[in-house]
Amino acid sequence: MLTRREALLGSVLTAAAVAAIGSTPAMAAVTDVAELPREKVTLVAPPFVHAHDQVAKSGPKIVEFTMKIEEKPMVIDADGTQLNAMTYNGSIPGPLMVVHEGDYLELTLINPDTNTLAHNIDFHAATGGLGGGALTLINPGEQVTLRFKATRSGTFVYHCAPGGAMIPWHVVSGMSGAVMVLPRDGLRDEKGKPVRYDRIYYIGENDFYIPRDEQGKFKKYDSAGDNYDDTVKVMRGLVPTHVVFNGNAGSLTGENAMKAKVGETVLIVHSQANRDTRPHLIGGHGDFVWEHGKFGNPPAKDLETWFIRGGSAGAALYAFRQPGVYAYVNHNLIEAVELGATAHFTVDGKWDDDLMMQVEPPKAIAS
Amino acid sequence: MSFDPVFSFGTVAAAALIGLGFSHAIDGMYPQPRGPAVLTEMVTLAPGSFDHPQPGEFLRDNHPAAAPVAKETIETPLEIMRFQVTASDYDRCVLDGTCKPADANLAGYVPVTGVSFLDAQAYANWLSARTGETWRLPTDVEWAYAAGERFHADIEGGDGDSADPARRWLTQYRTEAALGRKPDPEPRSLGAFGANSKGVADIAGNVWEWTATCYAHATMSSDSTLIASSISNCGVHVVEGFHRTYMSNFIRDGKSGGCAVGTPPDNLGFRLVHERGGFLQAALRRLGLT
């Protein structure tokens, strides 16, 4: 706690410093930032990612994003189970924002008056102010603009954190997403050799806790506020009713399956704001995996399954070598199959018998 | 594909009060009433022949092949339930202590869902015992015959490419995706999906139906569509509906029976075939001769 005397002393010292050197370094930085070039980026809904340079073409800039918070019912499984969702920009997860290390990310967050709750945003990529949460709390009908410097590279979660019991409830209602801060000179392998990706997909994994009625059927609520008491009871059991990718079991399958070609390198960014997960590409690998998501560390090689800690985002780079249908799952297979955490890739290209072939098809056991 | 028209009485007055006189007598001995006897509308289909893509998985020259189409013949009139077995019909079997309660918590004149092949078979046996007649699941061929123009075979990947197994997987996946069928989990009241040209209702709606046909791996001779050898697995049975698929006997919820790639059935239910001459068979069964 700052005493009145210390506060006064502090201000005296500051005043003295200002007198001595004209301006503080902090003031200088702010002046410089104002002069930086600005780029306005329109976000796209996951699993897609807005166009971006993998290697920065110029010096630091301010990258401007706008997100509108939308509270709305969303269907989260094939049975039509409804979540009173809270979303950044209308999607679960919120969109992936890509900047380079040293850039400034400037977000205008809008909470339209059609919403009923106060929201904010905590960027794990940001420094101070509860990740921005302390400076962004807005009521329905308000908007706020926050700028933070991307001081370290990597994939980082962002999520809503409006205080106390609201925090986990907002997060398990869908309010999370990720930021990817690329090194200015792009990604590098464990030897420091540059690596690039031909495609990027962003997968946000969510654990949902939907209350059930006496018959065991999932309950439906008119609004988010109505479900709070029941939902918290389910949450406290720590057993999710759904574990899904991109907001809905099956959201990345069928017509919406992710696509790639043999020979293409795909970067898969995977975030989980609340709970641990273990992505696995069935029939594939992680050529280079930043399990913690932080590009300042050398990537792990040749992984079969990687671990994404709850409250973090990781990145896996893989060049497809064989055509076919791949399932990308949370390799707790109960969560993958029963609770929903399965996505698909369809991969076109030429089959390589050297990598795999069926030497003999199924037949009666030779006696 | 030509389907013979339905027997005239099949569409008009096939409502048959299944003789539960036998069970009424038993009912009288119990204190609790069991409500009205099972009223099951039947459709009788005239014998006929039709072309039918075979169920199972097929190999030719050691590579997966499209299902061969064979001419199938229904030799005698086929009596099949116009509607799927209802939740209330099934509940009678449950109340009798023979059937296990279905997973779906529905009652009344909606199809029973959340039932496995084993449950369907238990119900057929129970109904046969109660009526003294023979009730059984239709075979894949019988079901297809009754389904008529609404029959859909497996989602077909076509003939395998010996140089590239992935092509078939992708074809099958994309064909299925292109169907664009959205999940439709809530069973409707009987008849909600309408009748086909044969007067059989709710074919290929949102309740898939168990059949008596086992899943099989078949090998075709290289120069024809004849099956040279086949190995069946009767722990898995053919399930029919919007598309034909295969499920383990104990699965009650198609959603959890699906593999990693593919659209699972919305619900699992069934309808039964009434076997003609069943009286004799039933008598034999009672005498322990079958």
Side-chain angles (χ1 to χ4, degrees):
Chain A
M1 186 85 181
L2 205 64
T3 65
R4 184 176 154 76
R5 188 173 166 275
E6 280 164 344
L8 283 170
L9 191 61
S11 57
V12 170
L13 287 173
T14 307
V18 170
I21 53 167
S23 69
T24 64
M27 286 296 287
V30 167
T31 313
D32 287 347
V33 172
E35 284 159 15
L36 286 177
R38 289 181 162 264
E39 184 192 1
K40 197 173 251 173
V41 172
T42 304
L43 291 165
V44 298
F48 304 106
V49 178
H50 66 82
H52 58 272
D53 295 322
Q54 293 181 39
V55 174
K57 287 188 172 136
S58 57
K61 57 189 172 186
I62 300 169
V63 189
E64 297 174 25
F65 300 95
T66 300
M67 291 204 299
K68 200 189 271 184
I69 294 160
E70 248 185 273
E71 298 167 8
K72 60 180 178 182
M74 287 175 93
V75 169
I76 57 170
D77 64 20
D79 289 334
T81 303
Q82 183 183 292
L83 169 77
N84 295 103
M86 309 174 197
T87 70
Y88 287 113
N89 237 29
S91 64
I92 300 178
L96 184 75
M97 294 179 244
V98 184
V99 299
H100 283 94
E101 193 174 343
D103 284 348
Y104 293 79
L105 189 157
E106 189 173 294
L107 173 75
T108 298
L109 188 64
I110 302 169
N111 189 1
D113 61 7
T114 43
N115 289 340
T116 59
L117 302 163
H119 299 284
N120 69 351
I121 191 163
D122 166 359
F123 283 104
H124 289 191
T127 307
L130 306 178
L135 301 174
T136 53
L137 189 66
I138 43 176
N139 288 314
E142 293 183 320
Q143 69 172 56
V144 65
T145 301
L146 175 79
R147 185 180 70 218
F148 73 87
K149 186 172 187 176
T151 54
R152 53 197 80 217
S153 68
T155 49
F156 297 86
V157 157
Y158 64 78
H159 63 91
C160 193
M166 288 298 111
I167 300 171
W169 182 53
H170 281 234
V171 170
V172 302
S173 297
M175 290 194 90
S176 65
V179 167
M180 180 164 76
V181 182
L182 287 167
R184 296 208 79 79
D185 55 355
L187 299 179
R188 292 181 180 266
D189 70 12
E190 84 290 357
K191 295 196 179 85
K193 208 171 122 249
V195 289
R196 294 185 57 84
Y197 44 90
D198 301 304
R199 292 171 190 256
I200 176 171
Y201 289 110
Y202 168 44
I203 294 170
E205 181 175 329
N206 286 80
D207 42 324
F208 295 133
Y209 303 81
I210 310 295
R212 297 176 192 266
D213 65 16
E214 304 73 37
Q215 270 97 49
K217 286 197 139 191
F218 289 121
K219 286 171 84 168
K220 229 176 207 180
Y221 298 87
D222 289 338
S223 71
D226 296 335
N227 77 38
Y228 177 74
D229 287 340
D230 289 354
T231 302
V232 169
K233 286 191 187 86
V234 184
M235 285 160 58
R236 292 188 69 148
L238 300 178
V239 179
T241 55
H242 297 73
V243 177
V244 303
F245 296 151
N246 290 21
N248 183 356
S251 65
L252 300 174
T253 64
E255 294 284 16
N256 300 318
M258 295 173 284
K259 288 160 188 66
K261 293 191 179 81
V262 169
E264 278 184 342
T265 299
V266 177
L267 184 71
I268 307 166
V269 175
H270 191 120
S271 70
Q272 222 302 9
N274 198 58
R275 193 169 174 274
D276 300 341
T277 182
R278 49 205 69 69
H280 171 91
L281 179 65
I282 301 179
H285 300 95
D287 291 340
F288 299 107
V289 181
W290 292 269
E291 204 176 56
H292 316 79
K294 307 308 169 277
F295 300 129
N297 305 294
K301 286 175 68 179
D302 303 328
L303 297 196
E304 59 180 313
T305 298
W306 39 102
F307 186 70
I308 307 291
R309 294 140 186 80
S312 78
L317 194 87
Y318 182 59
F320 281 95
R321 289 157 172 82
Q322 197 80 294
V325 182
Y326 290 74
Y328 176 89
V329 298
N330 169 343
H331 209 287
N332 177 324
L333 295 169
I334 303 162
E335 298 181 9
V337 178
E338 295 289 334
L339 300 190
T342 298
H344 295 153
F345 278 94
T346 54
V347 180
D348 285 295
K350 199 175 162 330
W351 181 265
D352 183 354
D353 273 340
D354 185 46
L355 287 172
M356 179 182 283
M357 71 177 296
Q358 188 178 47
V359 179
E360 248 189 337
K363 62 175 191 179
I365 297 166
S367 52
Chain B
M1 227 184 280
S2 74
F3 287 98
D4 289 327
V6 185
F7 262 54
S8 56
F9 64 84
T11 48
V12 185
L17 183 62
I18 302 312
L20 279 187
F22 173 70
S23 58
H24 278 317
I26 292 175
D27 284 347
M29 290 154 52
Y30 287 88
Q32 78 274 28
R34 287 188 198 285
V38 175
L39 178 71
T40 304
E41 270 190 69
M42 302 300 291
V43 175
T44 303
L45 309 176
S49 296
F50 67 114
D51 290 329
H52 182 56
Q54 301 295 292
E57 292 191 41
F58 300 88
L59 286 175
R60 184 190 287 120
D61 299 331
N62 284 346
H63 292 295
V69 176
K71 184 137 214 130
E72 299 286 359
T73 302
I74 301 290
E75 306 273 5
T76 57
L78 176 65
E79 259 186 81
I80 190 163
M81 290 179 173
R82 185 189 298 282
F83 303 103
Q84 290 153 339
V85 170
T86 64
S88 62
D89 286 345
Y90 186 83
D91 278 347
R92 281 175 228 282
C93 179
V94 175
L95 283 172
D96 240 9
T98 305
C99 293
K100 290 199 309 191
D103 274 356
N105 256 325
L106 296 166
Y109 294 98
V110 292
V112 63
T113 55
V115 286
S116 67
F117 171 81
L118 301 172
D119 298 324
Q121 217 175 25
Y123 180 84
N125 290 342
W126 170 84
L127 187 63
S128 300
R130 294 289 301 260
T131 58
E133 295 168 3
T134 299
W135 295 88
R136 58 169 178 80
L137 287 171
T139 63
D140 160 71
V141 168
E142 289 168 338
W143 194 93
Y145 190 61
E149 76 283 4
R150 289 203 196 175
F151 175 74
H152 297 282
D154 301 34
I155 293 168
E156 183 60 73
D159 281 326
D161 177 341
S162 58
D164 187 351
R167 203 163 296 173
R168 191 166 189 273
W169 303 332
L170 286 165
T171 302
Q172 194 166 17
Y173 189 83
R174 286 174 180 146
T175 305
E176 182 158 356
L179 292 173
R181 190 176 189 282
K182 298 276 172 276
D184 180 13
E186 204 57 48
R188 320 267 168 86
S189 55
L190 292 193
F193 290 95
N196 66 4
S197 63
K198 302 185 173 198
V200 184
D202 299 336
I203 294 282
N206 67 356
V207 178
W208 271 245
E209 301 180 24
W210 288 103
T211 73
T213 300
C214 300
Y215 171 70
H217 276 179
T219 303
M220 293 188 286
S221 49
S222 40
D223 52 346
S224 76
T225 57
L226 294 178
I227 291 166
S229 67
S230 176
I231 294 179
S232 14
N233 171 5
C234 288
V236 175
H237 276 82
V238 173
V239 170
E240 310 272 8
F242 178 77
H243 59 72
R244 184 168 61 190
T245 186
Y246 309 90
M247 294 264 158
S248 292
N249 294 357
F250 49 82
I251 295 288
R252 297 180 121 199
D253 176 0
K255 288 179 274 291
S256 57
C259 55
V261 174
T263 309
D266 294 314
N267 295 289
L268 293 174
F270 62 99
R271 77 179 78 212
L272 298 176
V273 162
H274 180 229
E275 207 154 279
R276 295 199 159 194
F279 190 76
L280 177 63
Q281 286 179 22
L284 291 172
R285 188 190 306 117
R286 243 173 284 152
L287 291 170
L289 297 178
T290 55

